[in-house]
Amino acid sequence: MAEQPLDKKSFKKLGTRHKARRRAVDLLFEAEARDVDPADLLDERVELAARDQAVAPVHAYTHTLVEGVADDLDRVDGTIESYLKDWELSRLPAVDRAILRIAVWELFHANDVPPVVAVDEAVELAKELSTDDSPSFVNGVLGQVVLGAPQVRAAAAATRAPRPEAEA
């Protein structure tokens, strides 16, 4: 009997940013479960990795995501809640909350991440880490968030841009 070839996905190597996102999901999930600040937990892990070579170092993008979500949590959660139909954010599985928080933060702030990539990565993480229904749920919520993300990015850029001084 001939061996069946493995599908192409079996050979797909996970990218560095995918791994960074997954670790960010883990840290956000753990911080919520332990009721600690995600940035404080992140600092603990960075220190632990520095002391113990058996602990993987925290990737810079994981750091960016966790701190970004922690700094903008109210707006990120408010955005997610505004697209939940007949649901409350607190009733979602904690892993789905973490995945959605990262993706929404990326949609709003990560100018180097195309929206389609942020959504696709979130759906992949939901496939790996959550329930069978989660990927389509995450995709549906983020599909709506994507529509407003360009305006949010533009508004953020406008508030960061230096304003020309008025001429006398």
Side-chain angles (χ1 to χ4, degrees):
M1 180 189 267
E3 282 187 20
Q4 300 256 340
L6 296 173
D7 63 41
K8 289 179 184 175
K9 265 194 154 172
S10 299
F11 290 104
K12 181 180 176 185
K13 184 177 179 182
L14 296 177
T16 303
R17 280 216 169 168
H18 179 83
K19 292 174 186 174
R21 286 180 184 96
R22 183 176 176 140
R23 188 141 187 219
V25 169
D26 292 345
L27 287 167
L28 291 173
F29 178 88
E30 181 181 347
E32 184 175 344
R34 291 178 49 199
D35 195 26
V36 298
D37 182 81
D40 291 342
L41 180 62
L42 176 67
D43 290 342
E44 278 181 32
R45 292 302 149 81
V46 168
E47 290 173 20
L48 181 60
R51 289 191 317 262
D52 185 349
Q53 291 183 359
V55 176
V58 178
H59 189 276
Y61 197 62
T62 299
H63 201 274
T64 297
L65 291 171
V66 172
E67 287 210 335
V69 169
D71 289 346
D72 202 21
L73 187 61
D74 290 338
R75 185 166 81 166
V76 167
D77 282 357
T79 300
I80 296 166
E81 284 179 326
S82 71
Y83 293 105
L84 297 178
K85 294 188 167 90
D86 302 322
W87 277 93
E88 294 175 21
L89 188 61
S90 62
R91 292 186 58 215
L92 296 180
V95 70
D96 290 358
R97 276 193 302 275
I99 291 167
L100 286 167
R101 285 170 173 158
I102 288 169
V104 168
W105 185 87
E106 281 189 306
L107 288 169
F108 288 172
H109 300 287
N111 294 324
D112 62 330
V113 178
V116 67
V117 171
V119 174
D120 185 54
E121 284 289 321
V123 170
E124 286 301 314
L125 287 167
K127 286 178 185 176
E128 293 172 26
L129 302 172
S130 196
T131 68
D132 290 343
D133 294 332
S134 291
S136 61
F137 176 77
V138 165
N139 189 54
V141 171
L142 294 177
Q144 294 300 307
V145 175
V146 164
L147 299 176
Q151 291 84 1
V152 173
R153 282 186 183 192
T159 59
R160 284 191 308 263
R163 298 174 195 250
E165 294 182 10
E167 295 181 359

